[in-house]
Every structure is written in C-alpha cells, then in structure tokens.
Amino acid sequence: MKLDKNLKILIVGLGLIGGSYAKGLHKQGYKVSAIDTNEDSIAFALQNDIIDNGSTEVDPKLVGEADIVVFALYPHVFKEWIEKNQHLFKSGAVITDVTGVKSCIVYDIQSMLRKDVEFISAHPMAGREVYGVRNSDDKIFKEANYIIVPTDSNTFDAIEICKGIGETLGFARISSLPPKAHDEMIGFVSQLTHCIAVCLMTCSKSEHLVDYTGDSFRDLTRIARINENMWSELFLLNKDALLAQMEKFIGEFNEFYEILKEEDTEKMKEKMIRSTARRALFDK
C-alpha cells in the first residue's frame, strides 16, 4: 500500500535520512515540507527541488497542515520537540521517526502525546558514511530493510500508514518488531558492528595503514567514519543490549583465539564453513 498522494508530509530534521525521505517522497509527487535549524540545509533543499516549503523555525502553519510528520532528530531533541510543540499538530496527525533506538523513546513519546495524535515508530536500516541533506539519496532505501516498531497503543491505520511510507520509498523488506526486540537486534546488527569498526581503526598506531590495506579492511571499516555525537548517544541509550552483544562477541572472538593458538584446524574450518553458509543467505 503506497501513501495517499493527497497527504501532506513534514520532515523535521533535514540530515542524510530526513533529506533522503524528502527527496524520495517529493520525487513521487507528494507535497513535502521541512523544518531544520540549519539555514543552508533548507536553502539547498529548496533550490534542488527536494522540498516544497521549508523553515529554520518551528512554523505553526507547516506543522499544523501536516498529515504525517517524520522526525529525523537525535532522541533527546525529539523528546524536547514534542514536549514544546505538540500543541501545533492537527487533530488526527500521524507522527513517525527514524530513530535508531526505541525502548527509551517510544513509550515516553506515546505517554506525553495528545490523544488525538498518534506516534508509530519506524527504523530505516539505511545510511551512508557521510552526513547532511547535501548527501541525501533516496536510492539508499532500494536494497534496505525497514522496521516498523509498534506497541499495544498503536492502531491498525497508523501501522498501515507507516508501512505505506516504507513501500512508497521502495524499501526491499518491511518487517515489524516490538521495541525491546528491536533494540536487542539493533545492538547486534548495527551498534556492535560500528563498535568493531571503530576498534579496528584505533587498535593500530600505524599512520600508513592506507598505503597497505586491501578491500577487506576498507569494507570492514567503512562505517568507522562515524558521527560521534549521534552514535555515542545511541550507544548509551541502548547500553544494556549493546553490552550483552559485545560480551557475546568477545566470547566468540576469544574462542577463535584459542582455536588458533592450539592450531585446531578442524574447529577453525567448522567456524569458517558455518560463517560462509550464514553469509550466503544475504546474497539470495
């Protein structure tokens, strides 16, 4: 189900993901507005036909006419925005987000939100190692996963609207997880991988790695170009789930260490065979 073309959409936070949402939706004929505190971001989006209207201030008109509001903000900023500005939403508006953690956000937003406005959370599993609306590209969604994160408070209609956003933007797979399960999964498939990439880049003091590395190292460390403000906040907000996944990884790594130390070729091959089989599923 794609979104009704008559719906007016507001993006709050015009960075890489917010900008890519705006670009993808506007390209398909939706009326898209945006709010971002960065004047250059709004100017660029207007000049490049990414949005119809934009403001660096919380514009009551833009907020009040929006049927769907997508928040692409840091978690703490998202909460503060809702507390200060939710009175501007039109009755019946549906709001959603792109936030990378859920348990610490979803229930707080739903509990503070007006009863005539509904929040249905989502997580587009897409991104690039660059930032800002100038690097926005809706093609990043085409092979990506999109996770809807409903609670018992959500209605069928709101969930369908959220699903419609994913389908309209062209995500390859759309799934659903409750907040706790989402955070546990994200702790493994996203946050742990970023931790590993950062550690790979910081465990060697050589200043000449770039002269010697091949594709394997470059592929593994692509996501080590990281926004330290955003990711440190996400790690702390999902601390327990991430620590649990780090402990599992350390245990697995230590086991491989012992296998190599003992020169147990058969066990080493077993792990490699299992790894190859599991990775092959990604290529189907």
Side-chain angles (χ1 to χ4, degrees):
M1 179 197 83
K2 290 196 174 184
L3 294 174
D4 181 344
K5 283 286 178 69
N6 294 314
L7 293 173
K8 295 179 180 178
I9 302 169
L10 172 65
I11 312 290
V12 181
L14 206 58
L16 175 68
I17 299 299
S20 298
Y21 264 55
K23 184 174 286 187
L25 293 166
H26 194 247
K27 189 185 292 183
Q28 295 190 55
Y30 292 91
K31 184 173 182 182
V32 180
S33 301
I35 294 173
D36 192 285
T37 56
N38 188 303
E39 187 174 343
D40 179 70
S41 295
I42 294 295
F44 179 86
L46 287 169
Q47 290 164 7
N48 289 274
D49 199 30
I50 295 173
I51 58 175
D52 294 288
N53 299 289
S55 175
T56 57
E57 305 288 339
V58 178
D59 185 323
K61 183 176 184 296
L62 291 183
V63 179
E65 69 181 12
D67 301 294
I68 299 172
V69 186
V70 180
F71 285 89
L73 302 172
Y74 285 18
H76 75 280
V77 179
F78 181 21
K79 286 186 182 181
E80 291 169 1
W81 201 103
I82 295 297
E83 286 177 342
K84 289 173 61 176
N85 302 302
Q86 63 167 298
H87 64 282
L88 299 174
F89 292 132
K90 70 187 295 185
S91 182
V94 172
I95 69 173
T96 186
D97 69 333
V98 302
T99 314
V101 290
K102 299 303 183 186
S103 296
C104 59
I105 295 292
V106 175
Y107 300 110
D108 287 352
I109 298 292
Q110 288 183 339
S111 65
M112 75 171 75
L113 196 61
R114 287 165 34 197
K115 299 307 177 187
D116 61 336
V117 177
E118 185 168 352
F119 172 45
I120 172 66
S121 193
H123 188 177
M125 296 296 293
R128 300 172 66 192
E129 64 276 14
V130 289
Y131 318 119
V133 68
R134 288 179 177 273
N135 293 300
S136 61
D137 183 358
D138 58 304
K139 291 192 291 292
I140 63 175
F141 304 137
K142 301 310 176 186
E143 297 298 324
N145 295 320
Y146 178 82
I147 307 173
I148 301 171
V149 189
T151 71
D152 292 340
S153 299
N154 285 122
T155 63
F156 174 81
D157 288 346
I159 293 171
E160 286 297 296
I161 286 173
C162 192
K163 183 178 179 182
I165 293 172
E167 292 182 356
T168 302
L169 289 170
F171 282 89
R173 288 165 296 274
I174 297 175
S175 58
S176 178
L177 284 173
K180 185 173 185 294
H182 167 275
D183 291 350
E184 289 171 350
M185 182 58 67
I186 293 308
F188 178 63
V189 300
S190 177
Q191 294 183 340
L192 175 63
T193 55
H194 281 78
C195 289
I196 292 168
V198 168
C199 290
L200 279 171
M201 289 307 306
T202 57
C203 70
S204 172
K205 295 181 180 179
S206 173
E207 296 180 1
H208 301 285
L209 290 177
V210 69
D211 298 325
Y212 313 128
T213 54
D215 288 344
S216 58
F217 190 83
R218 282 191 286 269
D219 289 346
L220 276 169
T221 57
R222 177 184 62 81
I223 55 174
R225 287 184 62 183
I226 194 168
N227 180 330
E228 71 278 7
N229 295 317
M230 180 181 77
W231 282 98
S232 59
E233 180 172 343
L234 294 175
F235 286 173
L236 288 169
L237 288 172
N238 203 33
K239 175 183 171 183
D240 291 343
L242 177 55
L243 286 175
Q245 298 299 341
M246 292 175 80
E247 288 170 4
K248 288 180 184 178
F249 181 80
I250 291 168
E252 187 72 15
F253 195 87
N254 285 338
E255 185 179 336
F256 204 98
Y257 175 92
E258 292 299 328
I259 289 171
L260 178 60
K261 185 178 178 181
E262 298 299 322
E263 299 185 7
D264 192 333
T265 306
E266 290 308 309
K267 284 188 177 179
M268 190 183 302
K269 288 181 179 179
E270 286 175 11
K271 282 195 175 291
M272 291 176 177
I273 290 169
R274 194 182 317 147
S275 167
T276 299
R278 290 180 177 178
R279 184 60 180 82
L281 297 174
F282 286 67
D283 301 322
K284 291 183 178 179

